[in-house]
Amino acid sequence: MEPNIVSKARSDEAHDDNNGCSGVCAGGLGEESLAAQTEHHRDAEEVAHFESICESFRQHAIFSRRARTGHAARIAALPATHQSLLPLWMQQGSEENRHREVFMQEAEKRNQFFFDSLLRHAGKAISQEMLAEPERKWSSDDTMSKVSSVLKSLARDWSAEGVAEREQSYRPILDGFDRHVKVNKESDPPRILVPGAGEML
């Protein structure tokens, strides 16, 4: 993927900063991550936004654990008669509740590993590398809810559990393509622009 050089002036600056290399030196573009390549051509606001997203990814497990323990504390504050009306997996001290806690702890670890893998692929620091950061900026609950939405969207679009929702959401659109978009030959299928999706089907 070629870097998106947004202006000749910025390109000239990159040329000057790298002693004659165009944008990226030290052996060519292939030796840098995609994030490192594109950062040469981002403005300050875009870089700050990207970094805030990366930090939110790093903090996913922490916020998930906080939400889980807060939920448990609110249940514990209920009168015993009210707690007895809850499903067993919500009643603290029950075997079902203990199993669910173990399950949720494992899910938090796996989800954080997933986000760390994304960060590592982009050439950014992962969650464990930022634990000792003295002036760490914490993400907001609103931002973290969007991070959770990333997982929900991935589960919907790619998991076996998301089959039913995919059929409800996408089947009418795919059926419409079959009816209205003609395919002349298999080797040259039509390309369909999906606004907001960041790619073409």
Side-chain angles (χ1 to χ4, degrees):
M1 177 179 178
E2 295 183 357
N4 178 25
I5 301 179
V6 296
S7 69
K8 183 179 185 300
R10 193 170 295 176
S11 177
D12 291 342
E13 291 173 4
H15 184 280
D16 294 339
D17 290 343
N18 289 281
N19 298 320
C21 292
S22 179
V24 179
C25 240
L29 295 175
E31 296 183 8
E32 287 194 322
S33 69
L34 180 60
Q37 294 175 35
T38 55
E39 277 183 9
H40 289 284
H41 311 290
R42 286 180 172 149
D43 58 33
E45 184 178 354
E46 186 178 359
V47 170
H49 177 66
F50 179 69
E51 289 298 335
S52 71
I53 293 172
C54 291
E55 188 56 43
S56 298
F57 282 0
R58 296 183 192 105
Q59 297 173 17
H60 173 73
I62 295 173
F63 273 75
S64 294
R65 186 161 53 252
R66 189 186 72 172
R68 180 167 52 81
T69 55
H71 185 259
R74 288 190 292 274
I75 291 177
L78 292 172
T81 52
H82 291 186
Q83 292 187 40
S84 66
L85 300 175
L86 297 173
L88 285 175
W89 63 265
M90 295 180 69
Q91 295 183 29
Q92 296 177 20
S94 68
E95 189 66 22
E96 290 82 356
N97 180 260
R98 285 192 289 270
H99 280 303
R100 182 174 176 80
E101 282 297 298
V102 171
F103 176 83
M104 294 301 293
Q105 290 171 17
E106 183 65 21
E108 289 165 2
K109 294 176 185 177
R110 292 184 180 223
N111 289 341
Q112 187 61 63
F113 178 79
F114 167 76
F115 283 122
D116 282 345
S117 297
L118 291 181
L119 290 164
R120 195 184 299 279
H121 181 72
K124 309 302 290 185
I126 65 172
S127 59
Q128 297 300 308
E129 296 169 348
M130 298 295 287
L131 288 177
E133 189 69 23
E135 297 181 0
R136 191 172 189 181
K137 182 178 180 180
W138 293 100
S139 300
S140 66
D141 288 332
D142 179 63
T143 302
M144 296 310 300
S145 70
K146 295 176 183 177
V147 174
S148 296
S149 293
V150 172
L151 290 174
K152 293 174 183 176
S153 295
L154 288 170
R156 178 196 64 199
D157 289 350
W158 298 103
S159 71
E161 292 81 358
V163 169
E165 188 173 352
R166 284 200 297 275
E167 282 295 305
Q168 292 177 346
S169 300
Y170 302 142
R171 180 51 54 193
I173 299 173
L174 296 174
D175 289 344
F177 290 157
D178 290 338
R179 289 194 303 270
H180 302 295
V181 180
K182 304 301 180 183
V183 178
N184 297 322
K185 53 183 179 178
E186 290 294 330
S187 61
D188 187 26
R191 302 188 72 192
I192 300 167
L193 176 64
V194 182
E199 61 183 51
M200 285 188 180
L201 299 178

